[in-house]
Amino acid sequence: MTDTDQEHKERMIALKEEHKARIKEKKRADRGLLIVHTGDGKGKSTAAYGTLLRALGWGHDVAVLQYVKGNWKTGEKQFFKRFSDLVRLEVMGEGFTWETQDRQRDIAAAEKAWEVSKEMMNSGDYDLVILDELNIVLRNDYLDHEMVKEGLLARHPRTTVIVTGRNAPDNIMEVADLVTNMEMIKHPFEAGIKAARGIDF
Ligand code: ATP
Ligand code: MG
């Protein structure tokens, strides 16, 4: 073993000890977490569905509510429909602003979706609930921010909730356990490349 290798080995041993000591101080979460994925960069929904994949691997019970109903066919919707015994999928009733152009109809749809979200979060039936693009509905003030915060906090202790979408409101980030801001460094859209099947939808 060269000196460099030996030094490396010693450094790694020290690092491992340090890491072990730090983990020992931590405790297991005794309840589900509130997680927020926000920011301008791509990956908010993708990361939520990645977490869902992990949860499914452990046989957890999971549910998804999509707050922004696009008319387009997405890979995740096709997947969830195919595995409806594994994932409960709900999609918010109506289309969204620039398709419906009817604010009152959007508000009514958001309120209905919020009722379903509360039922999912309170039932105690799920380990993981994804409220995809809820932040978009909040940004448009279709739902009261304090009401949503209280509803998220009142969830069943078993249930982890992931809220996604740009412009997460401050009051929800304040009470969340985990907030990740996706930062856009580059996006193919800027280079004139269209959204792609299996990558973007
Ligand atoms: P994804 O679903 O790919 O994880 P996201 O949830 O982070 O994306 P959304 O705001 O929900 O982002 O946008 C959904 C769609 O917009 C996706 O097709 C995504 O690739 C695209 N998109 C996300 N970020 C950007 C960006 N910075 N510029 C252009 N398009 C973007
Ligand atoms: Mg998204």
Side-chain angles (χ1 to χ4, degrees):
M1 212 184 252
T2 66
D3 283 355
T4 320
D5 289 340
Q6 185 58 33
E7 275 168 27
H8 174 84
K9 190 175 173 182
E10 280 162 17
R11 225 174 36 240
M12 288 305 122
I13 290 170
L15 211 63
K16 192 175 163 190
E17 288 306 316
E18 210 182 294
H19 186 62
K20 251 169 57 187
R22 244 184 295 149
I23 286 176
K24 238 177 153 175
E25 293 165 10
K26 311 284 184 218
K27 54 188 192 313
R28 198 183 294 272
D30 51 9
R31 57 178 181 84
L33 302 176
L34 177 58
I35 299 174
V36 177
H37 297 166
T38 193
D40 290 341
K42 174 179 162 63
K44 300 173 286 293
S45 298
T46 317
Y49 297 130
T51 307
L52 179 131
L53 182 112
R54 281 191 173 153
L56 285 178
W58 288 103
H60 289 181
D61 297 312
V62 302
V64 176
L65 197 153
Q66 293 188 330
Y67 266 86
V68 175
K69 183 196 182 188
N71 290 327
W72 57 89
K73 201 169 170 181
T74 65
E76 64 269 23
K77 264 197 273 187
Q78 295 181 78
F79 178 88
F80 297 148
K81 278 185 188 145
R82 206 165 131 199
F83 296 96
S84 56
D85 51 328
L86 292 178
V87 184
R88 173 176 168 199
L89 170 70
E90 304 279 353
V91 180
M92 190 168 99
E94 302 293 329
F96 200 64
T97 53
W98 85 44
E99 277 159 22
T100 66
Q101 296 155 6
D102 183 341
R103 189 174 149 82
Q104 289 312 318
R105 212 170 88 174
D106 286 347
I107 291 174
E111 283 170 349
K112 224 165 127 187
W114 176 242
E115 288 307 313
V116 177
S117 309
K118 279 196 296 185
E119 182 258 300
M120 284 175 169
M121 291 189 291
N122 296 341
S123 64
D125 289 343
Y126 302 105
D127 300 288
L128 178 67
V129 170
I130 295 175
L131 303 179
D132 199 14
E133 316 300 351
L134 170 59
N135 292 337
I136 308 305
V137 164
L138 293 169
R139 186 182 63 191
N140 289 343
D141 290 325
Y142 292 168
L143 294 171
D144 180 72
H145 295 194
E146 279 307 296
M147 176 190 78
V148 170
K149 180 188 103 179
E150 294 304 326
L152 292 168
L153 290 176
R155 70 191 184 278
H156 190 280
R158 169 187 178 188
T159 307
T160 287
V161 177
I162 306 180
V163 175
T164 83
R166 292 167 188 221
N167 304 103
D170 288 338
N171 73 324
I172 291 176
M173 291 198 283
E174 271 161 25
V175 298
D177 299 289
L178 196 171
V179 179
T180 297
N181 188 44
M182 305 290 169
E183 184 194 1
M184 211 269 288
I185 306 287
K186 247 186 179 187
H187 194 288
F189 190 73
E190 317 279 299
I193 297 170
K194 266 197 192 169
R197 276 186 186 183
I199 304 293
D200 297 301
F201 62 92

